[in-house]
Amino acid sequence: MPLPKAELHLHIEGTLEPELAFALAERNGVTLPYATTEELREAYRFSDLQSFLDLYYALMAVLRTPEDFTALADAYLERAAAQGVRHAEIFFDPQAHTARGVSMGTVVEGLAAALDRAEERYGISTRLIMCFLRDESAASALATLEAAKPYLDRITGVGLDSAEVGHPPAKFREVYEEAARLGLRRVAHAGEEGPAEYVREALDVLGVERIDHGLRCMEDPELVERLARERVPLTLCPLSNVRLRVIDELGRHPLREMLDAGLLVTVNSDDPAYFGGYVGDNYAAVREALSLSQEQVRVLARHSFEAAFLDDDEPRRARYLAEVETYTF
Ligand code: ADE
Ligand code: ZN
């Protein structure tokens, strides 16, 4: 049995495996610029975040109907369950769909149909987090939040993703203020390719409760001390960092130093169809590359539930944490 864990940094569009992409392309009459799944996989050689994002957005063309989003989420949940995921907080990128004429309702209702049966089918509790694309305007983010208002009973929080450098968190101050007024939880990608200063800004200007990635905080000892003191969770994605060349190789990932610094780090998969592994694969890879002890791996799983948005269901959090404590490797 795999170690029980929560996954807190997972873009549902990043779980689109080549086989499903081709099946949906056929069903929807969409032509992909690749002849075979092998040819498509060949394109998964990225030089940085932008080179990945170009392919990630292009492939979304196959997602058109609510059933497509349901199939996408079902496929993820099944794989996640097999790797010990007991709770998943799932990002989606509404602007990448509404810009192509696919409505907010199609996306949210399609995903929700899979999430509604996730507990029964896969033993996974779920939350949905809607992300704003930071390389789009603040006005577009505000319009997106407005479009989401009929679906807020399904949406736990907001996040910020896409091309980071040149798009500082402060650009989205207003939309995060509105999200807070609506009672939404707030997270943001920061310090992946962007500087440590973006991590500080996400905390101070956007009021986020968790930082997605946050790796580059390690360049700023004062910030590290603050993140540790305030117990701010960081959702690390080690295999993603290697594939997007944020780090040279997994053996040089700072995760161990981050644990030693008392940071509340978690391990996640980001876009597993593109980066060579789901969340259990990320755990196994860092354990091996960084020679982590069983107890350190247990700490990572404990952190994942501590950092989860389960405040409305503390008995569930306690159950999950008890599973982690009694797990035998
Ligand atoms: N969108 C999907 N994956 C992402 C990542 N790793 N960073 C920023 N935006 C993303
Ligand atoms: Zn991400």
PDB file of all heavy atoms in Angstrom, residues 180-218:
ATOM      1  N   ALA A 180     -11.054  37.400  -1.614  1.00  0.00           N
ATOM      2  CA  ALA A 180     -11.099  37.323  -0.149  1.00  0.00           C
ATOM      3  C   ALA A 180     -12.487  37.714   0.352  1.00  0.00           C
ATOM      4  O   ALA A 180     -13.056  37.060   1.243  1.00  0.00           O
ATOM      5  CB  ALA A 180     -10.035  38.227   0.459  1.00  0.00           C
ATOM      6  N   ARG A 181     -13.058  38.780  -0.234  1.00  0.00           N
ATOM      7  CA  ARG A 181     -14.408  39.212   0.168  1.00  0.00           C
ATOM      8  C   ARG A 181     -15.436  38.111  -0.083  1.00  0.00           C
ATOM      9  O   ARG A 181     -16.413  37.979   0.649  1.00  0.00           O
ATOM     10  CB  ARG A 181     -14.825  40.467  -0.630  1.00  0.00           C
ATOM     11  CG  ARG A 181     -14.393  41.773   0.032  1.00  0.00           C
ATOM     12  CD  ARG A 181     -15.105  42.978  -0.591  1.00  0.00           C
ATOM     13  NE  ARG A 181     -14.713  43.210  -1.970  1.00  0.00           N
ATOM     14  CZ  ARG A 181     -13.647  43.920  -2.344  1.00  0.00           C
ATOM     15  NH1 ARG A 181     -12.863  44.475  -1.445  1.00  0.00           N
ATOM     16  NH2 ARG A 181     -13.362  44.087  -3.627  1.00  0.00           N
ATOM     17  N   LEU A 182     -15.194  37.315  -1.132  1.00  0.00           N
ATOM     18  CA  LEU A 182     -16.126  36.233  -1.470  1.00  0.00           C
ATOM     19  C   LEU A 182     -15.895  34.975  -0.625  1.00  0.00           C
ATOM     20  O   LEU A 182     -16.563  33.962  -0.804  1.00  0.00           O
ATOM     21  CB  LEU A 182     -15.987  35.881  -2.962  1.00  0.00           C
ATOM     22  CG  LEU A 182     -16.463  36.972  -3.935  1.00  0.00           C
ATOM     23  CD1 LEU A 182     -15.989  36.659  -5.355  1.00  0.00           C
ATOM     24  CD2 LEU A 182     -17.981  37.100  -3.893  1.00  0.00           C
ATOM     25  N   GLY A 183     -14.901  35.046   0.259  1.00  0.00           N
ATOM     26  CA  GLY A 183     -14.643  33.902   1.145  1.00  0.00           C
ATOM     27  C   GLY A 183     -13.807  32.811   0.509  1.00  0.00           C
ATOM     28  O   GLY A 183     -13.800  31.671   0.988  1.00  0.00           O
ATOM     29  N   LEU A 184     -13.098  33.144  -0.575  1.00  0.00           N
ATOM     30  CA  LEU A 184     -12.265  32.139  -1.245  1.00  0.00           C
ATOM     31  C   LEU A 184     -10.879  32.072  -0.611  1.00  0.00           C
ATOM     32  O   LEU A 184     -10.334  33.085  -0.169  1.00  0.00           O
ATOM     33  CB  LEU A 184     -12.138  32.493  -2.736  1.00  0.00           C
ATOM     34  CG  LEU A 184     -13.443  32.340  -3.531  1.00  0.00           C
ATOM     35  CD1 LEU A 184     -13.370  33.091  -4.852  1.00  0.00           C
ATOM     36  CD2 LEU A 184     -13.743  30.867  -3.762  1.00  0.00           C
ATOM     37  N   ARG A 185     -10.313  30.879  -0.565  1.00  0.00           N
ATOM     38  CA  ARG A 185      -8.932  30.701  -0.111  1.00  0.00           C
ATOM     39  C   ARG A 185      -7.999  31.205  -1.208  1.00  0.00           C
ATOM     40  O   ARG A 185      -8.371  31.178  -2.384  1.00  0.00           O
ATOM     41  CB  ARG A 185      -8.642  29.213   0.178  1.00  0.00           C
ATOM     42  CG  ARG A 185      -9.688  28.507   1.009  1.00  0.00           C
ATOM     43  CD  ARG A 185      -9.823  29.056   2.398  1.00  0.00           C
ATOM     44  NE  ARG A 185      -8.671  28.834   3.246  1.00  0.00           N
ATOM     45  CZ  ARG A 185      -8.580  27.886   4.189  1.00  0.00           C
ATOM     46  NH1 ARG A 185      -9.577  27.050   4.377  1.00  0.00           N
ATOM     47  NH2 ARG A 185      -7.502  27.778   4.947  1.00  0.00           N
ATOM     48  N   ARG A 186      -6.794  31.623  -0.813  1.00  0.00           N
ATOM     49  CA  ARG A 186      -5.885  32.218  -1.797  1.00  0.00           C
ATOM     50  C   ARG A 186      -4.504  31.551  -1.789  1.00  0.00           C
ATOM     51  O   ARG A 186      -3.903  31.402  -0.719  1.00  0.00           O
ATOM     52  CB  ARG A 186      -5.725  33.713  -1.510  1.00  0.00           C
ATOM     53  CG  ARG A 186      -6.959  34.530  -1.839  1.00  0.00           C
ATOM     54  CD  ARG A 186      -6.923  35.900  -1.187  1.00  0.00           C
ATOM     55  NE  ARG A 186      -7.146  35.805   0.252  1.00  0.00           N
ATOM     56  CZ  ARG A 186      -6.923  36.783   1.116  1.00  0.00           C
ATOM     57  NH1 ARG A 186      -6.452  37.938   0.707  1.00  0.00           N
ATOM     58  NH2 ARG A 186      -7.165  36.608   2.403  1.00  0.00           N
ATOM     59  N   VAL A 187      -4.060  31.168  -2.976  1.00  0.00           N
ATOM     60  CA  VAL A 187      -2.700  30.651  -3.169  1.00  0.00           C
ATOM     61  C   VAL A 187      -2.140  31.332  -4.420  1.00  0.00           C
ATOM     62  O   VAL A 187      -2.890  31.971  -5.165  1.00  0.00           O
ATOM     63  CB  VAL A 187      -2.673  29.103  -3.345  1.00  0.00           C
ATOM     64  CG1 VAL A 187      -3.274  28.412  -2.135  1.00  0.00           C
ATOM     65  CG2 VAL A 187      -3.419  28.665  -4.618  1.00  0.00           C
ATOM     66  N   ALA A 188      -0.849  31.201  -4.663  1.00  0.00           N
ATOM     67  CA  ALA A 188      -0.260  31.731  -5.898  1.00  0.00           C
ATOM     68  C   ALA A 188       1.058  31.033  -6.190  1.00  0.00           C
ATOM     69  O   ALA A 188       1.810  30.708  -5.263  1.00  0.00           O
ATOM     70  CB  ALA A 188      -0.013  33.250  -5.792  1.00  0.00           C
ATOM     71  N   HIS A 189       1.313  30.785  -7.476  1.00  0.00           N
ATOM     72  CA  HIS A 189       2.653  30.363  -7.883  1.00  0.00           C
ATOM     73  C   HIS A 189       3.593  31.561  -7.669  1.00  0.00           C
ATOM     74  O   HIS A 189       3.256  32.684  -8.062  1.00  0.00           O
ATOM     75  CB  HIS A 189       2.694  30.014  -9.365  1.00  0.00           C
ATOM     76  CG  HIS A 189       2.084  28.688  -9.731  1.00  0.00           C
ATOM     77  ND1 HIS A 189       0.828  28.318  -9.367  1.00  0.00           N
ATOM     78  CD2 HIS A 189       2.595  27.659 -10.457  1.00  0.00           C
ATOM     79  CE1 HIS A 189       0.583  27.111  -9.850  1.00  0.00           C
ATOM     80  NE2 HIS A 189       1.628  26.684 -10.518  1.00  0.00           N
ATOM     81  N   ALA A 190       4.722  31.308  -7.060  1.00  0.00           N
ATOM     82  CA  ALA A 190       5.724  32.371  -6.885  1.00  0.00           C
ATOM     83  C   ALA A 190       7.067  31.727  -6.595  1.00  0.00           C
ATOM     84  O   ALA A 190       7.138  30.704  -5.909  1.00  0.00           O
ATOM     85  CB  ALA A 190       5.330  33.309  -5.732  1.00  0.00           C
ATOM     86  N   GLY A 191       8.130  32.328  -7.150  1.00  0.00           N
ATOM     87  CA  GLY A 191       9.462  31.789  -6.902  1.00  0.00           C
ATOM     88  C   GLY A 191       9.705  30.467  -7.590  1.00  0.00           C
ATOM     89  O   GLY A 191      10.453  29.628  -7.077  1.00  0.00           O
ATOM     90  N   GLU A 192       9.089  30.269  -8.748  1.00  0.00           N
ATOM     91  CA  GLU A 192       9.412  29.103  -9.590  1.00  0.00           C
ATOM     92  C   GLU A 192      10.535  29.565 -10.535  1.00  0.00           C
ATOM     93  O   GLU A 192      11.685  29.244 -10.336  1.00  0.00           O
ATOM     94  CB  GLU A 192       8.170  28.652 -10.379  1.00  0.00           C
ATOM     95  CG  GLU A 192       8.420  27.434 -11.274  1.00  0.00           C
ATOM     96  CD  GLU A 192       7.225  27.097 -12.175  1.00  0.00           C
ATOM     97  OE1 GLU A 192       6.360  27.957 -12.413  1.00  0.00           O
ATOM     98  OE2 GLU A 192       7.190  25.935 -12.675  1.00  0.00           O
ATOM     99  N   GLU A 193      10.188  30.392 -11.521  1.00  0.00           N
ATOM    100  CA  GLU A 193      11.222  31.061 -12.325  1.00  0.00           C
ATOM    101  C   GLU A 193      11.450  32.485 -11.820  1.00  0.00           C
ATOM    102  O   GLU A 193      12.495  33.073 -12.045  1.00  0.00           O
ATOM    103  CB  GLU A 193      10.803  31.119 -13.800  1.00  0.00           C
ATOM    104  CG  GLU A 193      11.027  29.825 -14.550  1.00  0.00           C
ATOM    105  CD  GLU A 193      10.847  29.978 -16.056  1.00  0.00           C
ATOM    106  OE1 GLU A 193      10.332  31.021 -16.508  1.00  0.00           O
ATOM    107  OE2 GLU A 193      11.226  29.039 -16.773  1.00  0.00           O
ATOM    108  N   GLY A 194      10.438  33.028 -11.163  1.00  0.00           N
ATOM    109  CA  GLY A 194      10.515  34.412 -10.681  1.00  0.00           C
ATOM    110  C   GLY A 194      11.314  34.503  -9.384  1.00  0.00           C
ATOM    111  O   GLY A 194      11.611  33.491  -8.744  1.00  0.00           O
ATOM    112  N   PRO A 195      11.661  35.723  -8.977  1.00  0.00           N
ATOM    113  CA  PRO A 195      12.537  35.942  -7.827  1.00  0.00           C
ATOM    114  C   PRO A 195      11.847  35.744  -6.466  1.00  0.00           C
ATOM    115  O   PRO A 195      10.613  35.720  -6.383  1.00  0.00           O
ATOM    116  CB  PRO A 195      12.939  37.417  -7.984  1.00  0.00           C
ATOM    117  CG  PRO A 195      11.777  38.048  -8.689  1.00  0.00           C
ATOM    118  CD  PRO A 195      11.244  36.988  -9.625  1.00  0.00           C
ATOM    119  N   ALA A 196      12.664  35.646  -5.426  1.00  0.00           N
ATOM    120  CA  ALA A 196      12.153  35.506  -4.054  1.00  0.00           C
ATOM    121  C   ALA A 196      11.203  36.652  -3.704  1.00  0.00           C
ATOM    122  O   ALA A 196      10.240  36.466  -2.943  1.00  0.00           O
ATOM    123  CB  ALA A 196      13.329  35.461  -3.078  1.00  0.00           C
ATOM    124  N   GLU A 197      11.468  37.826  -4.274  1.00  0.00           N
ATOM    125  CA  GLU A 197      10.626  38.993  -3.995  1.00  0.00           C
ATOM    126  C   GLU A 197       9.156  38.720  -4.350  1.00  0.00           C
ATOM    127  O   GLU A 197       8.239  39.227  -3.682  1.00  0.00           O
ATOM    128  CB  GLU A 197      11.164  40.209  -4.772  1.00  0.00           C
ATOM    129  CG  GLU A 197      10.453  41.520  -4.506  1.00  0.00           C
ATOM    130  CD  GLU A 197      10.355  41.879  -3.022  1.00  0.00           C
ATOM    131  OE1 GLU A 197      11.238  41.510  -2.226  1.00  0.00           O
ATOM    132  OE2 GLU A 197       9.342  42.516  -2.653  1.00  0.00           O
ATOM    133  N   TYR A 198       8.907  37.913  -5.377  1.00  0.00           N
ATOM    134  CA  TYR A 198       7.522  37.592  -5.756  1.00  0.00           C
ATOM    135  C   TYR A 198       6.833  36.758  -4.663  1.00  0.00           C
ATOM    136  O   TYR A 198       5.619  36.811  -4.513  1.00  0.00           O
ATOM    137  CB  TYR A 198       7.475  36.807  -7.075  1.00  0.00           C
ATOM    138  CG  TYR A 198       7.691  37.605  -8.355  1.00  0.00           C
ATOM    139  CD1 TYR A 198       8.199  38.910  -8.350  1.00  0.00           C
ATOM    140  CD2 TYR A 198       7.384  37.035  -9.589  1.00  0.00           C
ATOM    141  CE1 TYR A 198       8.403  39.606  -9.534  1.00  0.00           C
ATOM    142  CE2 TYR A 198       7.574  37.722 -10.781  1.00  0.00           C
ATOM    143  CZ  TYR A 198       8.096  39.008 -10.747  1.00  0.00           C
ATOM    144  OH  TYR A 198       8.281  39.675 -11.929  1.00  0.00           O
ATOM    145  N   VAL A 199       7.621  35.968  -3.942  1.00  0.00           N
ATOM    146  CA  VAL A 199       7.049  35.170  -2.842  1.00  0.00           C
ATOM    147  C   VAL A 199       6.572  36.124  -1.741  1.00  0.00           C
ATOM    148  O   VAL A 199       5.441  36.009  -1.241  1.00  0.00           O
ATOM    149  CB  VAL A 199       8.096  34.174  -2.279  1.00  0.00           C
ATOM    150  CG1 VAL A 199       7.555  33.455  -1.046  1.00  0.00           C
ATOM    151  CG2 VAL A 199       8.524  33.175  -3.358  1.00  0.00           C
ATOM    152  N   ARG A 200       7.431  37.087  -1.428  1.00  0.00           N
ATOM    153  CA  ARG A 200       7.078  38.058  -0.381  1.00  0.00           C
ATOM    154  C   ARG A 200       5.844  38.861  -0.798  1.00  0.00           C
ATOM    155  O   ARG A 200       4.930  39.087  -0.001  1.00  0.00           O
ATOM    156  CB  ARG A 200       8.279  38.982  -0.129  1.00  0.00           C
ATOM    157  CG  ARG A 200       8.168  39.747   1.160  1.00  0.00           C
ATOM    158  CD  ARG A 200       9.387  40.613   1.438  1.00  0.00           C
ATOM    159  NE  ARG A 200      10.505  39.865   1.994  1.00  0.00           N
ATOM    160  CZ  ARG A 200      11.648  39.643   1.369  1.00  0.00           C
ATOM    161  NH1 ARG A 200      11.843  40.097   0.150  1.00  0.00           N
ATOM    162  NH2 ARG A 200      12.610  38.977   1.953  1.00  0.00           N
ATOM    163  N   GLU A 201       5.825  39.257  -2.063  1.00  0.00           N
ATOM    164  CA  GLU A 201       4.705  40.052  -2.571  1.00  0.00           C
ATOM    165  C   GLU A 201       3.395  39.253  -2.552  1.00  0.00           C
ATOM    166  O   GLU A 201       2.331  39.791  -2.243  1.00  0.00           O
ATOM    167  CB  GLU A 201       5.040  40.472  -4.003  1.00  0.00           C
ATOM    168  CG  GLU A 201       4.505  41.817  -4.389  1.00  0.00           C
ATOM    169  CD  GLU A 201       4.940  42.180  -5.804  1.00  0.00           C
ATOM    170  OE1 GLU A 201       6.064  42.692  -5.961  1.00  0.00           O
ATOM    171  OE2 GLU A 201       4.154  41.956  -6.736  1.00  0.00           O
ATOM    172  N   ALA A 202       3.478  37.976  -2.890  1.00  0.00           N
ATOM    173  CA  ALA A 202       2.273  37.137  -2.873  1.00  0.00           C
ATOM    174  C   ALA A 202       1.690  37.078  -1.458  1.00  0.00           C
ATOM    175  O   ALA A 202       0.473  37.120  -1.259  1.00  0.00           O
ATOM    176  CB  ALA A 202       2.594  35.733  -3.391  1.00  0.00           C
ATOM    177  N   LEU A 203       2.585  37.017  -0.451  1.00  0.00           N
ATOM    178  CA  LEU A 203       2.131  36.984   0.944  1.00  0.00           C
ATOM    179  C   LEU A 203       1.564  38.332   1.369  1.00  0.00           C
ATOM    180  O   LEU A 203       0.466  38.416   1.938  1.00  0.00           O
ATOM    181  CB  LEU A 203       3.295  36.612   1.873  1.00  0.00           C
ATOM    182  CG  LEU A 203       3.895  35.216   1.710  1.00  0.00           C
ATOM    183  CD1 LEU A 203       5.198  35.112   2.505  1.00  0.00           C
ATOM    184  CD2 LEU A 203       2.909  34.140   2.162  1.00  0.00           C
ATOM    185  N   ASP A 204       2.324  39.392   1.082  1.00  0.00           N
ATOM    186  CA  ASP A 204       1.987  40.711   1.636  1.00  0.00           C
ATOM    187  C   ASP A 204       0.898  41.431   0.851  1.00  0.00           C
ATOM    188  O   ASP A 204       0.095  42.151   1.437  1.00  0.00           O
ATOM    189  CB  ASP A 204       3.246  41.590   1.690  1.00  0.00           C
ATOM    190  CG  ASP A 204       4.252  41.064   2.692  1.00  0.00           C
ATOM    191  OD1 ASP A 204       3.831  40.328   3.615  1.00  0.00           O
ATOM    192  OD2 ASP A 204       5.453  41.357   2.559  1.00  0.00           O
ATOM    193  N   VAL A 205       0.888  41.277  -0.459  1.00  0.00           N
ATOM    194  CA  VAL A 205      -0.069  42.029  -1.281  1.00  0.00           C
ATOM    195  C   VAL A 205      -1.311  41.192  -1.586  1.00  0.00           C
ATOM    196  O   VAL A 205      -2.426  41.704  -1.575  1.00  0.00           O
ATOM    197  CB  VAL A 205       0.596  42.518  -2.594  1.00  0.00           C
ATOM    198  CG1 VAL A 205      -0.402  43.297  -3.441  1.00  0.00           C
ATOM    199  CG2 VAL A 205       1.820  43.375  -2.285  1.00  0.00           C
ATOM    200  N   LEU A 206      -1.128  39.911  -1.862  1.00  0.00           N
ATOM    201  CA  LEU A 206      -2.289  39.072  -2.223  1.00  0.00           C
ATOM    202  C   LEU A 206      -2.871  38.327  -1.023  1.00  0.00           C
ATOM    203  O   LEU A 206      -3.952  37.774  -1.109  1.00  0.00           O
ATOM    204  CB  LEU A 206      -1.902  38.059  -3.313  1.00  0.00           C
ATOM    205  CG  LEU A 206      -1.310  38.641  -4.608  1.00  0.00           C
ATOM    206  CD1 LEU A 206      -1.081  37.523  -5.633  1.00  0.00           C
ATOM    207  CD2 LEU A 206      -2.212  39.730  -5.195  1.00  0.00           C
ATOM    208  N   GLY A 207      -2.132  38.285   0.075  1.00  0.00           N
ATOM    209  CA  GLY A 207      -2.625  37.591   1.269  1.00  0.00           C
ATOM    210  C   GLY A 207      -2.763  36.090   1.091  1.00  0.00           C
ATOM    211  O   GLY A 207      -3.666  35.466   1.645  1.00  0.00           O
ATOM    212  N   VAL A 208      -1.858  35.484   0.320  1.00  0.00           N
ATOM    213  CA  VAL A 208      -1.999  34.046   0.079  1.00  0.00           C
ATOM    214  C   VAL A 208      -1.649  33.236   1.328  1.00  0.00           C
ATOM    215  O   VAL A 208      -0.859  33.659   2.164  1.00  0.00           O
ATOM    216  CB  VAL A 208      -1.144  33.557  -1.120  1.00  0.00           C
ATOM    217  CG1 VAL A 208      -1.500  34.318  -2.389  1.00  0.00           C
ATOM    218  CG2 VAL A 208       0.332  33.626  -0.815  1.00  0.00           C
ATOM    219  N   GLU A 209      -2.256  32.057   1.424  1.00  0.00           N
ATOM    220  CA  GLU A 209      -2.029  31.157   2.562  1.00  0.00           C
ATOM    221  C   GLU A 209      -0.994  30.094   2.262  1.00  0.00           C
ATOM    222  O   GLU A 209      -0.480  29.447   3.172  1.00  0.00           O
ATOM    223  CB  GLU A 209      -3.332  30.452   2.917  1.00  0.00           C
ATOM    224  CG  GLU A 209      -4.428  31.386   3.325  1.00  0.00           C
ATOM    225  CD  GLU A 209      -5.721  30.622   3.500  1.00  0.00           C
ATOM    226  OE1 GLU A 209      -5.827  29.840   4.459  1.00  0.00           O
ATOM    227  OE2 GLU A 209      -6.616  30.793   2.652  1.00  0.00           O
ATOM    228  N   ARG A 210      -0.781  29.833   0.961  1.00  0.00           N
ATOM    229  CA  ARG A 210       0.235  28.854   0.543  1.00  0.00           C
ATOM    230  C   ARG A 210       0.936  29.426  -0.677  1.00  0.00           C
ATOM    231  O   ARG A 210       0.343  30.187  -1.431  1.00  0.00           O
ATOM    232  CB  ARG A 210      -0.405  27.525   0.082  1.00  0.00           C
ATOM    233  CG  ARG A 210      -1.083  26.718   1.113  1.00  0.00           C
ATOM    234  CD  ARG A 210      -1.303  25.254   0.672  1.00  0.00           C
ATOM    235  NE  ARG A 210      -2.029  25.052  -0.549  1.00  0.00           N
ATOM    236  CZ  ARG A 210      -3.190  24.386  -0.655  1.00  0.00           C
ATOM    237  NH1 ARG A 210      -3.758  23.868   0.421  1.00  0.00           N
ATOM    238  NH2 ARG A 210      -3.760  24.226  -1.828  1.00  0.00           N
ATOM    239  N   ILE A 211       2.197  29.007  -0.847  1.00  0.00           N
ATOM    240  CA  ILE A 211       2.964  29.398  -2.033  1.00  0.00           C
ATOM    241  C   ILE A 211       3.178  28.152  -2.895  1.00  0.00           C
ATOM    242  O   ILE A 211       3.643  27.117  -2.389  1.00  0.00           O
ATOM    243  CB  ILE A 211       4.342  29.982  -1.625  1.00  0.00           C
ATOM    244  CG1 ILE A 211       4.167  31.273  -0.796  1.00  0.00           C
ATOM    245  CG2 ILE A 211       5.222  30.203  -2.848  1.00  0.00           C
ATOM    246  CD1 ILE A 211       3.782  32.504  -1.587  1.00  0.00           C
ATOM    247  N   ASP A 212       2.853  28.261  -4.171  1.00  0.00           N
ATOM    248  CA  ASP A 212       3.094  27.150  -5.088  1.00  0.00           C
ATOM    249  C   ASP A 212       4.499  27.281  -5.673  1.00  0.00           C
ATOM    250  O   ASP A 212       4.856  28.336  -6.205  1.00  0.00           O
ATOM    251  CB  ASP A 212       2.003  27.139  -6.166  1.00  0.00           C
ATOM    252  CG  ASP A 212       0.639  26.868  -5.528  1.00  0.00           C
ATOM    253  OD1 ASP A 212       0.563  25.896  -4.743  1.00  0.00           O
ATOM    254  OD2 ASP A 212      -0.309  27.639  -5.754  1.00  0.00           O
ATOM    255  N   HIS A 213       5.279  26.236  -5.517  1.00  0.00           N
ATOM    256  CA  HIS A 213       6.727  26.200  -5.791  1.00  0.00           C
ATOM    257  C   HIS A 213       7.465  26.935  -4.664  1.00  0.00           C
ATOM    258  O   HIS A 213       7.745  26.335  -3.652  1.00  0.00           O
ATOM    259  CB  HIS A 213       7.092  26.776  -7.173  1.00  0.00           C
ATOM    260  CG  HIS A 213       6.587  25.963  -8.317  1.00  0.00           C
ATOM    261  ND1 HIS A 213       7.021  24.690  -8.559  1.00  0.00           N
ATOM    262  CD2 HIS A 213       5.673  26.247  -9.283  1.00  0.00           C
ATOM    263  CE1 HIS A 213       6.408  24.216  -9.641  1.00  0.00           C
ATOM    264  NE2 HIS A 213       5.572  25.138 -10.084  1.00  0.00           N
ATOM    265  N   GLY A 214       7.795  28.214  -4.856  1.00  0.00           N
ATOM    266  CA  GLY A 214       8.482  28.948  -3.792  1.00  0.00           C
ATOM    267  C   GLY A 214       9.954  28.623  -3.649  1.00  0.00           C
ATOM    268  O   GLY A 214      10.624  29.101  -2.730  1.00  0.00           O
ATOM    269  N   LEU A 215      10.444  27.813  -4.579  1.00  0.00           N
ATOM    270  CA  LEU A 215      11.821  27.312  -4.512  1.00  0.00           C
ATOM    271  C   LEU A 215      12.857  28.418  -4.305  1.00  0.00           C
ATOM    272  O   LEU A 215      13.810  28.272  -3.536  1.00  0.00           O
ATOM    273  CB  LEU A 215      12.092  26.634  -5.860  1.00  0.00           C
ATOM    274  CG  LEU A 215      13.049  25.496  -5.959  1.00  0.00           C
ATOM    275  CD1 LEU A 215      12.532  24.338  -5.121  1.00  0.00           C
ATOM    276  CD2 LEU A 215      13.153  25.057  -7.425  1.00  0.00           C
ATOM    277  N   ARG A 216      12.651  29.506  -5.013  1.00  0.00           N
ATOM    278  CA  ARG A 216      13.689  30.552  -4.996  1.00  0.00           C
ATOM    279  C   ARG A 216      13.699  31.382  -3.705  1.00  0.00           C
ATOM    280  O   ARG A 216      14.542  32.262  -3.550  1.00  0.00           O
ATOM    281  CB  ARG A 216      13.579  31.431  -6.250  1.00  0.00           C
ATOM    282  CG  ARG A 216      14.005  30.647  -7.499  1.00  0.00           C
ATOM    283  CD  ARG A 216      14.180  31.523  -8.711  1.00  0.00           C
ATOM    284  NE  ARG A 216      15.157  32.588  -8.506  1.00  0.00           N
ATOM    285  CZ  ARG A 216      15.271  33.648  -9.315  1.00  0.00           C
ATOM    286  NH1 ARG A 216      14.461  33.772 -10.349  1.00  0.00           N
ATOM    287  NH2 ARG A 216      16.185  34.567  -9.073  1.00  0.00           N
ATOM    288  N   CYS A 217      12.837  31.037  -2.763  1.00  0.00           N
ATOM    289  CA  CYS A 217      12.930  31.679  -1.440  1.00  0.00           C
ATOM    290  C   CYS A 217      14.291  31.394  -0.828  1.00  0.00           C
ATOM    291  O   CYS A 217      14.774  32.152   0.017  1.00  0.00           O
ATOM    292  CB  CYS A 217      11.817  31.201  -0.511  1.00  0.00           C
ATOM    293  SG  CYS A 217      12.039  29.528   0.126  1.00  0.00           S
ATOM    294  N   MET A 218      14.922  30.284  -1.277  1.00  0.00           N
ATOM    295  CA  MET A 218      16.202  29.879  -0.700  1.00  0.00           C
ATOM    296  C   MET A 218      17.320  30.898  -0.957  1.00  0.00           C
ATOM    297  O   MET A 218      18.367  30.840  -0.339  1.00  0.00           O
ATOM    298  CB  MET A 218      16.605  28.494  -1.216  1.00  0.00           C
ATOM    299  CG  MET A 218      15.661  27.380  -0.791  1.00  0.00           C
ATOM    300  SD  MET A 218      15.410  27.304   0.990  1.00  0.00           S
ATOM    301  CE  MET A 218      16.855  26.368   1.515  1.00  0.00           C
TER     302      MET A 218
END
